[in-house]
């Protein structure tokens, strides 16, 4: 068996409130380098996406090959959000994307060829991935503290694991900041001063499916939080999901199209509810240079009201990651 050298790459990039984007549309999360490139730098980490009003062009775009994917919630949910409420919110968030009907020249041609299923609650409360044993795509609320960017204002983080040569996603986890200063709301009409969990969940579901931030200001995938309007997909978001998960069962774009595999929501290498040993990608902070890697982890995160930028490299057992913050100030 061949073991792959791995590392974590962490970058924050956002949009300052009030900055005017262009209408270039949806962006795909990219691998950040070309297959076979001897330079292991993730070029998307330094790509100033919002300043250039363009998508990062480097490498391959990310996508799930499976026709369906499963996710789980950590069983404790949050002090602010019950497990049953969290289940309802995240089922609706993913369903908003997968219920999209696609059109050709104004004529409906069918629903996107992707489903996301809830597999139940799990014990595991770590962001991790096991190359050789069962996994879970877990959503975790962090009530006791936030170890990532700007703990007083960051709202969430999504980590997506992918193959650097093909862009094919193998797993994804989400973290929701329940310790930040603004309360999470599951109400149809969130009270003043609260943040709408369904809007956060729908945006993060887009990252889970392989999308980066849109340059369209009313898009769910726009980098700046604007409230309950993010619960529903804009035409830009719908165009994106239809381009990647086509009704004809082809996934990807351009010459990277592949036929969707048979629907099986089981996570990579099987499903388990407990954490694996020594596979967490959390903690640490020692900066290291990138190493040779055949598989990667990419974290797409959402900047809501202000921009932060930082770069952190940490050595891992299995993957590379890019993270962007959700700032809720």
């Amino acid at each position: 068996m061949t073991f792959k050298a791995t590392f974590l790459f962490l970058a924050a990039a956002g949009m300052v409130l009030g900055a005017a984007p262009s209408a270039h549309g949806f962006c795909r999360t990219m691998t950040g380098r070309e297959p076979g490139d001897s330079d292991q730098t993730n070029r998307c980490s330094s790509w100033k996406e919002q300043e250039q009003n363009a998508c990062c062009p480097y490498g391959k775009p990310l996508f799930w090959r499976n026709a369906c994917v499963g996710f789980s919630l950590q069983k404790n949910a949050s002090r602010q959000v019950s497990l049953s409420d969290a289940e309802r919110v995240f089922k609706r968030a993913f369903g908003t994307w997968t219920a999209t009907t696609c059109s050709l020249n104004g004529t409906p041609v069918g629903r996107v060829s992707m489903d996301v299923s809830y597999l139940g609650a799990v014990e595991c409360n770590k962001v991790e991935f096991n190359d050789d044993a069962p996994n879970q795509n877990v959503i975790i609320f962090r009530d006791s503290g936030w170890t990532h960017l700007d703990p007083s204002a960051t709202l969430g983080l999504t980590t997506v694991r992918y193959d650097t040569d093909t862009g094919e996603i193998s797993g994804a986890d989400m973290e929701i900041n329940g310790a930040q200063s603004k309360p999470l709301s599951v109400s149809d009409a969130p009270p003043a001063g609260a943040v709408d969990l369904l809007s956060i969940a729908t945006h993060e579901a887009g990252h889970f499916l392989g999308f980066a931030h849109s340059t369209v200001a009313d898009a769910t995938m726009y980098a700046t939080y604007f409230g309950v309007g993010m619960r529903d997909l804009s035409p830009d978001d719908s165009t994106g999901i239809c381009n990647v998960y086509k009704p004809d069962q082809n996934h990807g774009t351009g010459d990277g199209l592949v036929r969707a595999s048979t629907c099986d929501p089981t996570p990579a290498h099987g499903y388990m509810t407990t954490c694996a040993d020594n596979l967490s990608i959390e903690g640490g902070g020692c900066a290291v240079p990138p190493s040779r890697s055949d598989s990667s982890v990419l974290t797409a995160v959402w900047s809501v009201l202000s921009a932060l930028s930082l770069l952190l490299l940490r050595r891992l057992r299995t993957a590379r990651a890019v993270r962007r913050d959700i700032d809720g100030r």
Side-chain angles (χ1 to χ4, degrees), residues 112-235:
V112 296
S113 57
M114 169 58 80
D115 285 297
V116 182
S117 303
Y118 180 54
L119 301 183
V122 297
E123 297 275 350
C124 186
N125 64 353
K126 294 181 180 180
V127 174
E128 62 179 23
F129 186 76
N130 193 334
D131 278 331
D132 305 305
N135 289 282
Q136 65 281 138
N137 300 315
V138 64
I139 298 168
I140 308 162
F141 287 84
R142 302 296 189 193
D143 284 350
S144 60
W146 188 255
T147 61
H148 307 301
L149 306 176
D150 200 352
S152 66
T154 303
L155 298 180
L157 199 69
T158 296
T159 303
V160 182
R161 295 156 190 84
Y162 62 89
D163 186 292
T164 53
D165 288 335
T166 67
E168 184 174 335
I169 299 171
S170 56
D173 297 316
M174 289 185 201
E175 295 168 272
I176 303 298
N177 187 354
Q180 52 88 31
S181 58
K182 293 181 182 294
L184 299 170
S185 173
V186 296
S187 170
D188 287 339
V195 290
D196 180 38
L197 179 60
L198 181 54
S199 292
I200 297 170
T202 308
H203 179 102
E204 293 302 321
H207 288 315
F208 183 103
L209 291 167
F211 293 98
H213 291 143
S214 172
T215 60
V216 175
D218 66 351
T220 294
M221 294 311 297
Y222 186 54
T224 301
Y225 175 85
F226 55 83
V228 296
M230 304 184 91
R231 295 175 175 183
D232 299 311
L233 302 191
S234 72

Side-chain angles (χ1 to χ4, degrees), residues 15 20-27 49-50 52-55 212-219 221-223 236:
M15 170 62 71
S22 73
H24 289 178
F26 71 91
C27 290
E49 179 182 339
Q50 298 294 348
Q52 298 188 35
N53 293 316
C55 306
H213 291 143
S214 172
T215 60
V216 175
D218 66 351
M221 294 311 297
Y222 186 54
D236 181 63

Side-chain angles (χ1 to χ4, degrees), residues 2 29 83-84 86 110 119 125 131 171 189 197 230 248 266 275 288 294 315-318:
T2 301
T29 301
L83 179 60
S84 61
L119 301 183
N125 64 353
D131 278 331
L197 179 60
M230 304 184 91
D248 65 3
T266 306
C275 296
V288 297
D294 292 319
R315 193 172 299 277
L316 292 180
R317 178 170 177 259
T318 58

